[in-house]
C-alpha cells in the first residue's frame, strides 16, 4: 500500500531467500536455522513519535495505521517487536534502525506468545 | 527567524537564517567528529574494504553509545560481534547524512527532495540524541523539563543554552517529519 519501500525490504515474505540465509546460518552452532528472531524497538525520551512512525512506514512499508500502532506500543509499553525473520534479516533491519537513530535490538523469538506471528509479514 | 518546513507544490521547503545555519553546521560537524575514527596503520585493508572492524569496542562516551547502541540486550559478546561486523557501516551512513545536511546549509531558502529530507531527518535526529545525552535527558519528565525552556532570555549558562538549541532542533525536525509524512500520504 505504501509505495516508498525503496530503502526497505519486505520481512519474511521471500521463502527462497529465507532458505538461503538459513543455510548460511547453519555454520553458526548456536543458531538453528528455523528459530525466528525478533527486531525490538525500545522507547526513549528523545525520538519524535512522528519520526518513529515515519521510519516504520518508509523503511518497512507499513501502513500509517500499523506504523502508529507499533509506535504507540513502543511509547506506552517501553518496547515493541516490529519485525521478525531469520537472524540475518533482523540484524540487517537493526543496522538500518541504528542508522535512523532508533534504539533497536535483536533477540531470539520466545516460543509462542511473544512472536508477532503473521503480523510481521503483513505489508501496508 | 527560521520558518517551519512545509510540503507543497515544489516539494519540501524551509527557511533558515544565516546564524541558524551556522549553529546547525557547527552541531552537525561536532557529531561528525564524534563518529569519525582514526584510521590505523596496522589495519587490514581488505577488512576495512568490506566494512569489518575486529578491534572495535563498545563506546565509553554515552552519547556515542546512543548513536551506536548495543544490538543485543544483556549479551555483551553478541553485541561486540555485531559491532565488529556492522559498526563501521553505521558510522559511515550517519556521517554521510550529516555531511550532506551540512552541505545543504549553503542558502537560506531550502528545497529538499525526498532523499534530502530523509538525510536531514536522520542528521537532525543524531544531533538531538547527542544534545539529549549532554543535557542528561533520561526520561519523559526530563524531556518535558527541557522542553519548557523556550525563552532565549533564559540562556544564562551552558545548560540553558544547550536546552534552547535542543528545542530549536526538535522544532525543526518535527516540522520536517510532518512534511515528509504529508509527502508519503500524497504518494499513497
Amino acid at each position: 500500500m505504501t509505495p516508498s519501500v525503496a530503502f526497505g525490504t519486505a520481512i519474511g515474505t521471500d521463502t527462497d531467500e529465507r532458505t538461503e540465509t538459513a543455510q548460511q546460518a547453519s555454520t553458526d552452532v548456536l543458531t538453528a536455522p528455523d528459530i525466528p528472531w525478533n527486531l525490538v524497538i525500545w522507547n526513549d525520551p528523545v525520538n519524535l513519535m512522528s519520526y518513529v512512525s515515519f521510519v516504520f512506514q518508509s523503511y518497512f512499508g507499513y501502513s500509517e495505521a500499523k506504523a502508529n500502532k507499533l509506535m504507540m506500543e513502543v511509547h506506552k509499553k517501553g518496547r515493541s517487536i516490529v519485525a521478525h525473520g531469520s537472524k540475518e534479516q533482523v540484524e540487517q533491519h537493526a543496522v538500518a534502525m541504528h542508522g535512523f537513530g532508533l534504539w533497536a535490538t535483536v533477540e531470539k523469538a520466545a516460543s509462542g506468545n511473544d512472536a508477532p506471528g503473521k503480523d510481521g509479514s503483513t505489508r501496508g | 527567524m527560521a520558518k517551519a518546513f512545509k510540503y507543497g507544490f515544489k516539494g519540501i521547503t524551509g527557511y533558515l537564517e544565516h546564524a541558524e545555519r551556522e549553529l546547525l553546521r557547527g552541531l552537525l560537524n561536532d557529531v561528525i567528529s564524534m563518529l569519525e575514527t582514526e584510521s590505523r596503520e596496522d589495519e587490514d585493508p581488505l577488512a576495512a574494504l568490506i566494512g569489518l572492524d575486529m578491534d572495535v569496542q563498545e563506546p565509553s562516551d554515552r552519547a556515542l553509545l546512543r548513536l551506536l547502541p548495543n544490538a543485543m540486550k544483556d549479551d555483551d559478546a553478541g553485541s561486540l560481534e555485531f559491532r565488529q561486523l556492522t559498526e563501521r557501516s553505521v558510522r559511515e551512513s550517519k556521517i554521510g547524512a550529516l555531511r550532506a545536511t551540512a552541505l545543504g546549509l549553503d542558502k537560506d531558502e531550502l528545497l529538499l527532495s525526498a532523499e534530502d529530507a530523509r538525510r536531514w531527518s536522520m542528521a537532525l535526529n543524531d544531533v538531538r540524541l547527542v544534545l539529549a545525552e549532554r543535557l542528561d535527558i533520561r526520561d519523559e519528565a526530563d524531556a518535558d523539563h527541557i522542553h519548557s525552556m523556550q525563552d532565549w532570555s533564559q540562556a544564562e549558562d551552558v545548560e540553558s543554552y544547550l536546552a534552547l538549541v535542543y528545542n530549536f532542533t526538535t522544532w525543526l525536525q518535527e516540522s520536517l517529519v510532518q512534511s515528509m509524512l504529508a509527502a508519503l500520504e500524497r504518494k499513497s
Side-chain angles (χ1 to χ4, degrees):
Chain A
M1 199 154 91
T2 311
S4 58
V5 284
F7 33 89
T9 47
I11 307 138
T13 48
D14 190 338
T15 323
D16 291 344
E17 191 178 304
R18 181 177 280 178
T19 313
E20 198 179 298
T21 50
Q23 279 166 355
Q24 284 166 10
S26 66
T27 55
D28 183 341
V29 275
L30 295 174
T31 312
D34 52 349
I35 292 179
W37 283 67
N38 293 329
L39 178 74
V40 180
I41 301 292
W42 298 82
N43 191 35
D44 75 67
V46 179
N47 283 331
L48 298 168
M49 291 161 88
S50 55
Y51 181 66
V52 174
S53 177
F54 174 81
V55 171
F56 291 169
Q57 288 179 53
S58 63
Y59 176 81
F60 293 113
Y62 291 158
S63 68
E64 186 184 354
K66 179 169 178 175
N68 286 339
K69 180 174 165 281
L70 291 170
M71 179 272 290
M72 286 310 293
E73 199 170 286
V74 173
H75 185 63
K76 288 186 171 157
K77 294 184 181 167
R79 54 168 266 164
S80 174
I81 295 166
V82 303
H84 68 132
S86 70
K87 186 166 188 261
E88 285 72 16
Q89 284 170 326
V90 295
E91 283 183 345
Q92 196 187 333
H93 295 324
V95 168
M97 293 300 110
H98 291 176
F100 280 108
L102 269 56
W103 184 14
T105 58
V106 300
E107 64 182 26
K108 248 181 247 177
S111 51
N113 48 11
D114 195 33
K118 288 176 188 161
D119 202 34
S121 60
T122 309
R123 294 180 61 205
Chain B
M1 272 298 267
K3 288 182 201 152
F5 280 105
K6 56 175 192 259
Y7 175 66
F9 262 118
K10 289 183 286 186
I12 294 174
T13 54
Y15 175 89
L16 288 172
E17 274 181 11
H18 179 75
E20 292 160 339
R21 286 184 282 127
E22 287 303 300
L23 171 71
L24 280 176
R25 205 194 312 269
L27 294 167
L28 293 162
N29 286 333
D30 286 348
V31 181
I32 291 170
S33 333
M34 285 173 62
L35 285 164
E36 276 173 340
T37 46
E38 289 165 31
S39 57
R40 294 178 300 268
E41 280 188 14
D42 59 342
E43 196 167 51
D44 180 348
L46 180 61
L49 195 68
I50 57 175
L52 299 181
D53 186 354
M54 303 319 278
D55 298 324
V56 74
Q57 294 294 326
E58 181 181 315
S60 50
D61 176 12
R62 288 188 66 117
L64 193 55
L65 182 60
R66 183 57 193 83
L67 294 179
L68 304 165
N70 285 330
M72 293 181 191
K73 210 155 165 50
D74 310 318
D75 180 358
D76 291 346
S79 290
L80 187 63
E81 191 190 348
F82 187 86
R83 259 179 214 289
Q84 291 169 340
L85 301 175
T86 64
E87 189 185 288
R88 189 188 292 263
S89 74
V90 176
R91 280 179 191 264
E92 281 169 4
S93 86
K94 283 182 182 292
I95 290 171
L98 291 156
R99 284 222 180 97
T101 305
L103 282 173
L105 287 167
D106 56 348
K107 50 191 169 311
D108 46 18
E109 300 276 356
L110 303 164
L111 173 61
L112 306 185
S113 68
E115 187 54 27
D116 294 335
R118 191 176 71 91
R119 291 203 196 94
W120 271 68
S121 68
M122 294 165 90
L124 291 175
N125 205 66
D126 283 345
V127 164
R128 291 181 58 245
L129 288 171
V130 170
L131 287 171
E133 275 304 323
R134 303 290 183 239
L135 284 162
D136 256 340
I137 298 178
R138 297 274 172 262
D139 54 31
E140 318 278 345
D142 295 339
D144 288 346
H145 169 69
I146 296 294
H147 192 68
S148 68
M149 300 177 71
Q150 294 286 355
D151 182 356
W152 281 89
S153 66
Q154 290 175 308
E156 50 205 14
D157 53 24
V158 173
E159 207 214 333
S160 53
Y161 176 76
L162 275 186
L164 289 157
V165 169
Y166 176 79
N167 289 335
F168 170 71
T169 319
T170 302
W171 169 81
L172 194 63
Q173 193 200 8
E174 178 67 48
S175 83
L176 176 60
V177 174
Q178 290 301 340
S179 304
M180 292 160 78
L181 286 166
L184 263 190
E185 204 170 313
R186 177 73 62 87
K187 272 166 83 184
S188 60

